[in-house]
Amino acid sequence: MSETVSVVIPAYNAARFLAEAIESVFAQTVAPGEVIVVDDGSTDETAALALQYPDVALLQRENGGIGAARNTGMAAARGGFLAFLDADDIWPAGRLAALLARSAETGADVVFGQVIEFGERTGEREPTPGFVASSGLFRRAGFDRVGPFREDTRVGEFIDWWARAQEAGLRVETIPEVTLRRRIHTTNTGITESGSRVDYARVLRAALERRRGS
């Protein structure tokens, strides 16, 4: 497995924003080794848009949620590092270079940066620490120690993975640079899947049960 970065972009009915997301990846000062878009059963032009980029590998699957889509991409990824980008968000230029530099300096399994949220109605907010999938860079070996994302929830899959990563003792670093611009809009998963918020309780309960059993 090479020491290049595999970028996984899960996409569900994401044609409105996907091009901007992909182009932000190709605008990085350090080029990724591969870019994988996983079309999670979209009914819009998501797949057709991804196919317009010859350097993007497109995988298609039945709709299973963001955890399942990320896992599908990871199964095909060949890089020694994993990076994720939701199809409606943007990477600032230089984010891969900054994250790779800290990873090389410290040997960390995961490096996170800062996140700026923005939207047509909300404007741009101040940067905050970003412990979310799309703000980080993950060594594949460390990621595999934790295991794949949970697939039986519609939301909370990264909270579950992050809890397991802490239990596994992964070494985590943060950097002051902004590594993700997170778009706020009416079709964010946290809004459209608001009826699935019981999943957050399930994730937290599972973490508590693991701690009690350890």
Side-chain angles (χ1 to χ4, degrees):
M1 186 172 288
S2 73
E3 288 302 298
T4 59
V5 179
S6 295
V7 181
V8 176
I9 304 176
Y12 174 67
N13 288 345
R16 181 182 173 192
F17 302 120
L18 180 59
E20 194 171 2
I22 291 173
E23 287 166 15
S24 77
V25 173
F26 288 126
Q28 294 300 304
T29 55
V30 173
E34 60 184 350
V35 180
I36 302 169
V37 171
V38 182
D39 177 15
D40 189 34
S42 298
T43 57
D44 68 356
E45 297 302 311
T46 291
L49 193 152
L51 287 171
Q52 294 178 17
Y53 294 86
D55 293 328
V56 167
L58 173 66
L59 303 178
Q60 293 180 276
R61 53 162 294 133
E62 294 182 0
N63 180 255
I66 193 167
R70 287 193 190 126
N71 290 342
T72 296
M74 286 192 301
R78 296 165 294 178
F81 291 90
L82 294 169
F84 303 100
L85 177 60
D86 292 352
D88 50 358
D89 294 336
I90 301 169
W91 279 355
R95 69 90 72 181
L96 272 185
L99 291 167
L100 282 165
R102 179 58 64 89
S103 182
E105 176 187 350
T106 64
D109 296 300
V110 188
V111 183
F112 291 106
Q114 311 298 304
V115 175
I116 288 179
E117 292 187 340
F118 72 100
E120 293 177 359
R121 297 182 180 179
T122 62
E124 188 169 289
R125 300 174 181 172
E126 291 297 315
T128 58
F131 295 98
V132 294
S134 294
S135 74
L137 180 71
F138 305 78
R139 285 188 186 271
R140 182 63 187 255
F143 197 101
D144 287 346
R145 281 170 51 201
V146 179
F149 292 107
R150 188 166 172 167
E151 297 188 5
D152 63 345
T153 63
R154 304 300 292 190
V155 294
E157 80 296 325
F158 189 73
I159 294 174
D160 173 78
W161 188 91
W162 180 232
R164 289 186 285 124
Q166 292 175 304
E167 293 161 13
L170 261 60
R171 183 174 178 181
V172 179
E173 294 281 340
T174 61
I175 60 174
E177 289 87 351
V178 173
T179 58
L180 176 66
R181 291 176 53 82
R182 182 173 182 268
R183 192 189 306 268
I184 304 302
H185 56 93
T186 56
T187 54
N188 282 118
T189 300
I191 296 172
T192 60
E193 297 289 350
S194 59
S196 298
R197 287 178 182 170
V198 66
D199 287 342
Y200 288 123
R202 293 173 58 203
V203 164
L204 294 173
R205 185 168 59 248
L208 288 172
E209 289 174 352
R210 286 195 302 272
R211 290 179 186 177
R212 290 170 182 161
S214 61

